[in-house]
Amino acid sequence: MNSLCFTSETASDGVVERDFTVGDVPGVLWSPASGPASAPLVLMGHGGGLHKKTPALAARARDAVTRQGFSVVAIDAPGHGDRPRAAEDEQVRASFREAHATGDRERFRSVSIGYALSLAERAVPEWRATLDALQELPEIGRDARIGYGGGISLGTAIGIPLTAAEPRISAAIFGGGFFVHDELLDAARRITVPVQFLLPWDDEHVDRQSCFALFDAFATTEKTLHANPGDHRTIRWIGVDEGFLARHLT
Amino acid sequence: MNSLCFTSETASDGVVERDFTVGDVPGVLWSPASGPASAPLVLMGHGGGLHKKTPALAARARDAVTRQGFSVVAIDAPGHGDRPRAAEDEQVRASFREAHATGDRERFRSVSIGYALSLAERAVPEWRATLDALQELPEIGRDARIGYGGGISLGTAIGIPLTAAEPRISAAIFGGGFFVHDELLDAARRITVPVQFLLPWDDEHVDRQSCFALFDAFATTEKTLHANPGDHRTIRWIGVDEGFLARHLT
């Protein structure tokens, strides 16, 4: 097992931010500057092309630490943030640009799906190894309740197979903004923990119906779909149940 | 203008409950036992076949009074609760029973739509007269912010044309559970105030897509769709934004 190495630490506004690595995966842990051990731990995923400290993600993380007393962890997805890009990922990015430039929607869709599958295959074991390593820390420990705090798009394309595979996750926030495929539906059918599903109502690329099929697939009956107007870049979330993770993790 | 006559008053657990009439329309007003004048006023609609003091409605009303300091008003829809049924309503109910017994879904749908239209035509002016009369009360007054607190099914079939017609309503909760028709879509297109829309995800009678079309029709961009599994009799609402009316009425 790879253990966790902290590489830097800063503190501001009651939040300690520590960069770390687990093997060659870089991550960041935001924790309350003071508080009980075994605070709930929330895993946050970033969107495609973004990284573990994307401003919106970092802001949500700091808010969860200061307002709810959670610890929050994010890691860079393969080929994202501080990680080198594999040749296959460079290839995919070239295909994306081509499909976008030529307006070939079907190719755009199939490249997106293939890329998301490939990233999820690599990211799920990385997340699980990160969890193993975090649980060795005395301030996290084995008793902390764990939730997946989402992120729409890539954060969900990775989060759904992760939550299906990982019994330590006891509640999850997912969302739309990416292409739904059969492997993802299969993974959703294995998810029995409470789910909050955030749907950008007017995504320009993704068919709404495919997101409904995904919502229908979750095996849990404790699931809520929440939609606001906008696509996944322009959406302004209003009236989301902010207490969802707190209810299930505390 | 018909003025408001109180016909009975009880008080328990910090809530004053007063029955009243405005003309021949019976209603009930729940208010805080103490508190500032001009508390926000919430209009609540009941479901088809039910009445102004249906237990679930009364419980929601009392909760809104005690937790949020609102006043809440409900009135019996035409032919419901304490009101006599007109010959045309008796006729419709007979048609309902027939369509249900014979399993004629298309007839069930058309009878439902015609009945909802007829009820809304009569109920909208009754609600507006009730508002006029309530605003004459010193404890309500002309400054109280007013919201429509919903109720799915009939409560929304009446609430949408009411909110479209009534500039005093500044936020509204609607929901699914009934058949959407063109007049309702037209009314939704005239609604510019913030809307929370509650959708029973698995309604046995009502096509989901028709509810999406209704959600799309609201002219406001400040709208949220919230869905939980279940049909409109079995649904358990989880994770709804309980602060919606408070945000817009205070």
Side-chain angles (χ1 to χ4, degrees), chain A:
Chain A
M1 184 184 123
N2 283 312
S3 63
L4 184 147
C5 301
F6 286 114
T7 54
S8 78
E9 173 170 339
T10 58
S12 61
D13 302 324
V15 181
V16 179
E17 175 178 316
R18 287 178 287 179
D19 293 337
F20 66 80
T21 57
V22 174
D24 55 3
V25 177
V28 53
L29 180 65
W30 290 278
S31 327
S34 62
S38 293
L41 175 66
V42 175
L43 322 183
M44 283 193 185
H46 62 73
L50 303 176
H51 60 81
K52 63 184 178 305
K53 289 192 189 176
T54 299
L57 190 161
R60 276 199 302 136
R62 289 180 168 275
D63 188 62
V65 172
T66 51
R67 287 207 305 167
Q68 307 193 285
F70 295 163
S71 290
V72 179
V73 58
I75 60 177
D76 282 331
H80 284 70
D82 297 329
R83 303 180 66 178
R85 269 184 218 140
E88 66 165 311
D89 296 332
E90 293 288 6
Q91 180 61 46
V92 168
R93 292 168 70 95
S95 304
F96 260 133
R97 279 192 297 270
E98 257 179 56
H100 196 262
T102 58
D104 185 341
R105 293 175 72 94
E106 194 39 54
R107 182 155 178 237
F108 184 77
R109 183 174 183 279
S110 72
V111 171
S112 297
I113 289 175
Y115 188 39
L117 265 170
S118 157
L119 289 176
E121 253 169 46
R122 290 175 274 166
V124 167
E126 291 171 356
W127 264 120
R128 302 188 75 179
T130 302
L131 263 188
D132 293 342
L134 284 167
Q135 287 190 320
E136 297 294 316
L137 298 176
E139 67 269 36
I140 304 279
R142 311 215 151 268
D143 295 331
R145 303 265 289 169
I146 297 170
Y148 191 78
I152 55 175
S153 91
L154 182 61
T156 288
I158 290 172
I160 287 177
L162 173 63
T163 302
E166 184 45 82
R168 287 174 287 189
I169 296 176
S170 51
I173 301 173
F174 301 129
F178 59 94
F179 296 105
V180 176
H181 50 83
D182 287 347
E183 285 82 348
L184 209 59
L185 290 169
D186 284 344
R189 288 186 193 105
R190 298 197 298 277
I191 291 181
T192 56
V193 298
V195 167
Q196 181 181 73
F197 192 83
L198 304 180
L199 181 66
W201 192 243
D202 308 293
D203 197 287
E204 56 173 330
H205 293 296
V206 178
D207 174 30
R208 242 182 235 171
Q209 300 300 326
S210 69
C211 292
F212 299 151
L214 182 58
F215 180 67
D216 280 330
F218 294 115
T220 180
T221 55
E222 180 120 356
K223 56 185 172 183
T224 297
L225 182 148
H226 186 97
N228 285 132
D231 73 14
H232 79 278
R233 292 174 207 282
T234 61
I235 193 159
R236 190 166 62 96
W237 293 112
I238 304 171
V240 176
D241 170 23
E242 305 286 351
F244 173 78
L245 286 176
R247 275 205 309 284
H248 294 294
L249 302 184
T250 51

